[in-house]
Amino acid sequence: MKKDSIEDVSGNGHDLPIFLYHRKHTNIATNIVFHEDELNSFIIQLAQRSGKHIYVAEPMVDAAMPEGSRIQMTLGTCVTAHGSTFTIRKFSDVPITPCGPYQMGYVLS
């Protein structure tokens, strides 16, 4: 996550590789694979780091990490078929704006 070229890290269930989204190379599968108990523990730790709680009664959480990244997490198999999931998205240093040229003072006639 410290590299500027990495925009997204996601895990789509246990026993599946963790994916990175790289600006130039797009989706990259890593050699990191969590078993079910490891992934559940990791999800709970991520939630705690973001100041939130995730548990079976409330298995979906959207939060912000301390460094500003957004994170979406699910816990267990009641929401997803492959178990717990997470997606961490970094904010871009140059934000996208819908204003385009209008932010420079141009007005539609």
Side-chain angles (χ1 to χ4, degrees):
M1 292 299 297
K2 291 182 181 182
K3 290 190 171 247
D4 291 336
S5 55
I6 303 297
E7 296 181 0
D8 184 286
V9 177
S10 60
N12 296 316
H14 59 83
D15 301 317
L16 297 170
I18 301 299
F19 279 83
L20 303 176
Y21 186 85
H22 188 279
R23 279 191 190 133
K24 182 178 177 184
H25 305 292
T26 64
N27 285 317
I28 303 169
T30 69
N31 62 351
I32 301 169
V33 176
F34 286 107
H35 297 294
E36 187 172 11
D37 291 340
E38 293 172 321
L39 182 58
N40 290 342
S41 178
F42 182 67
I43 296 294
I44 291 167
Q45 288 176 13
L46 285 175
Q48 290 171 344
R49 284 182 80 189
S50 67
K52 302 274 183 152
H53 295 284
I54 190 168
Y55 44 93
V56 177
E58 291 190 37
M60 295 174 60
V61 172
D62 291 317
M65 297 299 284
E67 72 279 354
S69 300
R70 294 178 303 155
I71 185 166
Q72 185 279 325
M73 301 164 273
T74 64
L75 181 67
T77 56
C78 51
V79 178
T80 61
H82 293 288
S84 299
T85 64
F86 69 94
T87 303
I88 303 171
R89 291 190 177 93
K90 294 187 340 185
F91 283 106
S92 175
D93 292 335
V94 180
I96 297 172
T97 175
C99 299
Y102 303 107
Q103 64 188 0
M104 290 191 257
Y106 295 109
V107 180
L108 289 176
S109 53

